[in-house]
Amino acid sequence: MIEFRDVSKTFGQGRSSVTALDGIDLRIAEHEMFGVVGESGSGKSTLLRLINHLETPTTGTVLVDGEEQAALPARERRRRRQDIGMVFQQFNLLANSTVLDNVAMPLRLRGRRGREQALQMLEFVNMAHHRHQHPSRLSGGEKQRVAIARALTARPRILLADEPTSALDSGHTEEVMAVLQEVRTIFRTTIVLVSHELEVIKSSCDRAAVLERGRLAALTDVTAPPPRRRSGSYAVRAREYLA
Ligand SMILES: Nc1ncnc2c1ncn2[C@@H]1O[C@H](COP(=O)(O)OP(=O)(O)OP(=O)(O)O)[C@@H](O)[C@H]1O
Ligand SMILES: [Mg+2]
């Protein structure tokens, strides 16, 4: 369980400060596929980065499994962070390493025999046959599947995905979303999915948070068919479309 208790995050000080998140209260359940939508700058990435402690709240508390990470010693925080995987819009693969080395990287850094496990994860995302290639030879969808395999090698209980399909065409988007669904079903991973693409959230998430200028504009169950009305602000349309 991930819990935000009245969380605000401000960057900078004085007149040049930016409030990225403002009074967020939120609970994300185990094994949930939870969507986060909102316009550019509404605080989506900041919200994700608070979950894996890449950012600390200015005020309020973020709890993961009832623990407040900010209160833990640095070594414990690093250990907890390994329980949380992350994938990004731009894949962040190492260009000069093979697919297999990219996926084995986090395991080898921790001194384990990683290649076998890495290969297993590549099989899971159906990329084992490309293991000796370099990322530049792959399509965007293939790169993202490799990045997902890499995030899974540490067997995280939570996977954070920041616009994982935003650089992809619709075919590759479906392919990557299908993999994320399987991750959730097979590994029972809690997934927090940030996307500005409402269809992606609509087709895959149980619930979604709509952010508007750092505030939680809506928290909605993603179930009913989309409404016809297509006017109003992004937050209003998002809430109507998703609910
Ligand atoms: N490290 C930082 N230093 C200063 N300002 C920041 C920092 N990170 C984020 N911000 C600001 O906080 C606000 C929210 O940023 P955030 O990246 O969370 O938005 P986002 O919803 O992910 O946007 P996008 O859709 O463009 O990725 C923005 O105004 C941004 O400029
Ligand atoms: Mg972002």
Side-chain angles (χ1 to χ4, degrees), residues 30-31 66 95 118 122 139 180:
E30 300 269 292
H31 318 309
L122 280 172
S139 74
L180 289 180

Side-chain angles (χ1 to χ4, degrees), residues 41 43-46 162-163 194:
K44 305 182 296 296
S45 297
T46 304
D162 197 349
E163 303 274 6
V194 164

Side-chain angles (χ1 to χ4, degrees), residues 221-234:
D221 288 320
V222 182
T223 44
R228 295 226 177 86
R229 201 162 83 84
R230 304 285 279 171
S231 59
S233 72
Y234 181 94

Side-chain angles (χ1 to χ4, degrees), residues 8 34 55 58 63 89 93 102 132 170 185 199 215 237:
S8 296
F34 187 87
E55 302 286 0
T58 306
L63 300 164
Q89 178 172 354
L93 298 173
N102 264 283
H132 298 308
S170 60
T185 312
E199 317 80 62
R215 302 196 68 113
R237 279 185 287 125

Side-chain angles (χ1 to χ4, degrees), residues 50-212:
L50 282 162
I51 296 173
N52 67 353
H53 331 304
L54 290 174
E55 302 286 0
T56 46
T58 306
T59 58
T61 321
V62 179
L63 300 164
V64 178
D65 294 330
E67 275 186 335
E68 183 184 355
Q69 311 299 304
L72 295 169
R75 193 149 55 94
E76 285 300 307
R77 269 209 303 273
R78 272 198 298 279
R79 241 189 39 188
R80 300 295 195 287
R81 200 176 290 159
Q82 288 173 0
D83 243 10
I84 304 179
M86 194 157 182
V87 293
F88 307 89
Q89 178 172 354
Q90 295 305 334
F91 324 119
N92 295 6
L93 298 173
L94 300 173
N96 294 322
S97 300
T98 64
V99 161
L100 183 58
D101 285 343
N102 264 283
V103 175
M105 188 73 69
L107 292 171
R108 262 189 309 186
L109 288 179
R110 276 187 285 141
R112 284 209 242 143
R113 276 185 55 240
R115 293 181 85 76
E116 214 170 287
Q117 243 173 299
L119 196 53
Q120 264 180 7
M121 283 306 156
L122 280 172
E123 275 161 12
F124 175 76
V125 299
N126 198 18
M127 284 296 292
H129 53 297
H130 285 309
R131 63 188 174 278
H132 298 308
Q133 286 192 4
H134 284 80
S136 60
R137 304 284 299 275
L138 306 177
S139 74
E142 289 172 335
K143 285 181 198 168
Q144 195 58 291
R145 276 150 58 199
V146 172
I148 291 170
R150 180 184 54 187
L152 291 177
T153 54
R155 293 297 177 109
R157 296 188 320 101
I158 299 170
L159 182 64
L160 308 176
D162 197 349
E163 303 274 6
T165 61
S166 298
L168 308 179
D169 63 30
S170 60
H172 288 140
T173 292
E174 274 178 35
E175 194 182 283
V176 164
M177 289 314 300
V179 170
L180 289 180
Q181 291 287 6
E182 267 181 58
V183 168
R184 181 206 194 185
T185 312
I186 293 173
F187 299 111
R188 313 262 302 144
T189 312
T190 305
I191 300 179
V192 187
L193 172 68
V194 164
S195 180
H196 67 272
E197 298 168 303
L198 294 179
E199 317 80 62
V200 167
I201 300 286
K202 181 85 182 166
S203 62
S204 56
C205 292
D206 308 304
R207 292 190 304 148
V210 181
L211 292 182
E212 190 176 36

